Amino acid sequence: DAGVTQSPTHLIKTRGQQVTLRCSPKSGHDTVSWYQQALGQGPQFIFQYYEEEERQRGNFPDRFSGHQFPNYSSELNVNALLLGDSALYLCASSLPGLRSYEQYFGPGTRLTVT
Amino acid sequence: KQEVTQIPAALSVPEGENLVLNCSFTDSAIYNLQWFRQDPGKGLTSLLLIQSSQREQTSGRLNASLDKSSGRSTLYIAASQPGDSATYLCAVEGGSTLGRLYFGRGTQLTVWP
């Protein structure tokens, strides 16, 4: 049973560019959340998708957007990249529904903005 | 707004010691608390999940306790080993934001032989 997978593993972009990160949830999970982890910090919640809709959002600008597909996989898009967007981007998935469940994390995508 | 604090920020101990990592949170209206392990540059591995109605959870050499009313959790690691070296993160899910985790900055643990 594959866990949460993310692609790509590493990415280098230039300021002002746009980037798309991808996540496939653990089998049987339908809720996907995205987190940003800057070096030396704990992960910060970006947003969560459930039933192909953004269910809740953290304190991130509109440059950060996402999408969830019918197969529950998800994308995170960041426009107009800033140096401060350099971080490890983590995807987490959990069991179906609106209850509180254990969240499982993927290996992350390391984004470097130069 | 929920804030999570972890103490100490770093810990370096010889192999075999029993360890206690501390986590505190400001809003006691939580659904659950999760402890994670993170190796350098890697994703998060879930260690233990404690639901708000529970007081503790155990897995092997790990034991986590939760005192919701005082906003505290501890992770106890028995007989530490060099392979336990990693950053340990505490996260709470709660308040009005079901599904959203609030993380501390972690405790960086080094266990030397």
Side-chain angles (χ1 to χ4, degrees):
Chain A
D1 174 27
V4 179
T5 60
Q6 293 185 243
S7 63
T9 305
H10 297 90
L11 206 50
I12 300 176
K13 291 286 190 178
T14 304
R15 275 180 302 175
Q17 287 188 317
Q18 178 265 343
V19 68
T20 297
L21 311 182
R22 295 175 177 81
C23 171
S24 291
K26 183 178 170 65
S27 178
H29 289 188
D30 68 350
T31 301
V32 174
S33 302
W34 287 92
Y35 292 82
Q36 180 196 65
Q37 186 178 25
L39 201 61
Q41 305 292 317
Q44 298 290 317
F45 177 80
I46 303 175
F47 42 54
Q48 182 180 77
Y49 278 84
Y50 170 67
E51 293 189 339
E52 302 181 48
E53 292 191 358
E54 183 182 292
R55 187 163 81 177
Q56 54 180 314
R57 188 180 182 91
N59 189 26
F60 279 80
D62 292 344
R63 297 186 298 108
F64 289 76
S65 63
H67 187 76
Q68 186 177 36
F69 298 94
N71 68 352
Y72 308 122
S73 66
S74 176
E75 288 182 348
L76 164 65
N77 301 292
V78 186
N79 294 322
L81 284 167
L82 304 174
L83 294 180
D85 295 331
S86 295
L88 180 67
Y89 288 84
L90 297 163
C91 170
S93 71
S94 57
L95 285 169
L98 299 176
R99 289 181 55 187
S100 169
Y101 288 110
E102 184 173 5
Q103 296 196 25
Y104 294 81
F105 282 76
T109 294
R110 171 69 64 183
L111 172 65
T112 301
V113 182
T114 63
Chain B
K1 179 192 170 191
Q2 179 74 267
E3 292 189 4
V4 180
T5 303
Q6 291 188 246
I7 294 173
L11 191 58
S12 180
V13 299
E15 182 176 9
E17 283 207 357
N18 299 323
L19 309 172
V20 175
L21 308 182
N22 296 293
C23 172
S24 62
F25 46 95
T26 55
D27 184 350
S28 62
I30 64 169
Y31 295 105
N32 64 49
L33 183 144
Q34 223 172 324
W35 282 94
F36 294 90
R37 169 186 172 137
Q38 185 173 34
D39 293 292
K42 305 295 185 182
L44 308 183
T45 300
S46 179
L47 299 173
L48 291 165
L49 170 74
I50 310 176
Q51 297 287 357
S52 61
S53 59
Q54 298 174 317
R55 295 296 297 247
E56 66 177 319
Q57 282 286 339
T58 298
S59 176
R61 294 183 295 109
L62 304 179
N63 175 274
S65 66
L66 173 63
D67 184 343
K68 202 174 78 161
S69 60
S70 68
R72 295 175 189 266
S73 176
T74 59
L75 178 66
Y76 178 81
I77 303 176
S80 59
Q81 303 171 357
D84 295 331
S85 298
T87 296
Y88 291 80
L89 292 157
C90 165
V92 297
E93 177 184 354
S96 60
T97 52
L98 181 65
R100 172 178 179 172
L101 295 180
Y102 294 85
F103 283 86
R105 295 178 65 170
T107 294
Q108 186 174 0
L109 173 64
T110 302
V111 181
W112 40 277

